Amino acid sequence: MKERQNKVELQVLQEMLGKTAALVQRAGEIILSAKDIWSVTHEKTSAADLVTEYDLAVERFLKEHLWEVCPGALFYGEEEEHNEDPTRGWAFVVDPIDGTTNFVRGIRQTAVSVGLALDGAVQLGVVLDPFREELFTAVRDGGAFCNGRPIHVSEKPIEQGIFGMGTAIYRREFLEATLKLTEQVFRRACDFRRMGSAALDLCNVACGRTELFFEYSLCPWDYAAGSLIVTEAGGHISTLQGTPLELSRRCSVWASNWVNRDVLKELEV
Ligand code: IPD
Ligand code: CA
Ligand code: CA
């Protein structure tokens, strides 16, 4: 009986995933249509913290349409006021443009990220890289995919691997810790990358392009979708303290393939 219920649930999730992915593809077209981006760019808290009219347009579009996928779900988008708790009931956790600085500067490493959670547990995740036309998707217990093909984390130990990291740009107090951790991992690894879109950094771990990723401070919309894509691809994700990620607050993120899941315990964080 339980199995049957789960099966129905998976089907429902898969239907919701299809609809969400179609909307995210349309949101990607807004990004691809962008022109004169600097002229519609504003500083939020500093020159390192930007928002463009396109971030707002993508968020507006998704807010207008995502309710059709899951009526009644909370919309928890980066550019909104955050007065409600995304860990209660159904909630879309949305980053309209992850990698805004890249987008503004014409560095084609930017994503749309949409996660749908139920009581704080992400049920489906969609991350679109509109420039590479790569659509990463996952539903809970249903595997992870890129453009419909199954993806899996790599099997390489960090000694044969490369890692991604983020600089927690909006929380400069983590600068020293970030550099110290980067040095420790770099001493063991072949190389590292700082690509500028946490959602895509997580997808890179999920599809085996990198072996690890970490950042000292990310928001729920940065990691909601990507976290499910990593675990459904056979990877591991937690905070740098080894605790589960929570959608209700900012936290650190450590994502790795399965063979490197314990490397964190050997590092000073
Ligand atoms: C940022 C990107 C970046 C990460 C920052 C995020 P945004 O998101 O994911 O890679 O280092 O911590 O805030 O501001 O471009 O949506
Ligand atoms: Ca982001
Ligand atoms: Ca963003």
Side-chain angles (χ1 to χ4, degrees):
M1 182 63 185
K2 189 160 187 285
E3 213 171 88
R4 223 163 114 216
Q5 276 174 1
N6 284 344
K7 216 167 181 179
V8 174
E9 199 179 305
L10 190 61
Q11 265 178 21
V12 172
L13 284 178
Q14 263 152 358
E15 272 167 37
M16 292 202 282
L17 177 75
K19 292 179 188 166
T20 306
L23 290 170
V24 169
Q25 296 272 26
R26 284 173 63 193
E29 285 163 23
I30 301 176
I31 294 178
L32 293 177
S33 73
K35 291 188 189 70
D36 301 327
I37 305 171
W38 273 116
S39 69
V40 291
T41 299
H42 315 283
E43 288 184 13
K44 284 205 270 189
T45 56
S46 71
D49 186 5
L50 304 174
V51 62
T52 74
E53 295 295 327
Y54 293 100
D55 296 66
L56 303 176
V58 170
E59 184 148 320
R60 245 186 343 258
F61 171 80
L62 290 171
K63 190 174 182 179
E64 253 171 56
H65 292 281
L66 279 173
W67 69 269
E68 296 158 12
V69 177
C70 184
L74 171 71
F75 183 89
Y76 195 75
E78 176 178 8
E79 311 303 340
E80 302 269 302
E81 301 240 323
H82 303 120
N83 301 321
E84 288 182 76
D85 181 357
T87 64
R88 300 180 93 182
W90 287 98
F92 283 105
V93 184
V94 174
D95 195 337
I97 299 188
D98 183 54
T100 295
T101 300
N102 283 345
F103 174 62
V104 169
R105 293 175 174 275
I107 299 168
R108 295 176 150 223
Q109 181 76 8
T110 286
V112 181
S113 176
V114 176
L116 176 61
L118 177 59
D119 294 331
V122 183
Q123 302 296 315
L124 70 82
V126 178
V127 174
L128 172 71
D129 176 340
F131 298 109
R132 285 191 195 80
E133 297 184 6
E134 286 187 329
L135 182 77
F136 294 91
T137 55
V139 296
R140 186 164 284 263
D141 300 329
F145 299 83
C146 178
N147 292 345
R149 284 188 298 278
I151 53 172
H152 208 272
V153 291
S154 89
E155 291 183 355
K156 287 191 195 305
I158 191 57
E159 287 69 21
Q160 292 165 27
I162 68 169
F163 65 100
M165 50 78 74
T167 47
I169 27 180
Y170 311 131
R171 299 296 297 268
R172 296 283 164 148
E173 66 269 32
F174 292 117
L175 171 62
E176 207 185 325
T178 297
L179 296 179
K180 264 174 76 181
L181 186 56
T182 304
E183 181 180 348
Q184 290 175 71
V185 186
F186 183 38
R187 283 187 184 283
R188 295 177 57 166
C190 299
D191 203 352
F192 71 95
R193 302 283 184 274
R194 194 294 187 249
M195 302 201 219
S197 161
L200 290 177
D201 284 319
L202 292 173
C203 293
N204 281 335
V205 173
C207 69
R209 291 175 184 158
T210 59
E211 278 61 41
L212 289 174
F213 166 73
F214 65 83
E215 184 154 354
Y216 265 85
S217 178
L218 285 173
C219 290
W221 44 83
D222 299 316
Y223 58 75
S227 64
L228 184 70
I229 294 170
V230 167
T231 54
E232 287 297 325
H236 165 85
I237 193 158
S238 69
T239 66
L240 283 166
Q241 284 68 48
T243 57
L245 303 184
E246 286 170 38
L247 287 183
S248 52
R249 60 186 179 91
R250 230 176 216 291
C251 62
S252 58
V253 172
W254 167 269
S256 74
N257 62 9
W258 197 249
V259 291
N260 290 308
R261 69 190 180 283
D262 288 332
V263 167
L264 179 58
K265 294 182 189 147
E266 297 155 16
L267 302 166
E268 209 181 299
V269 296

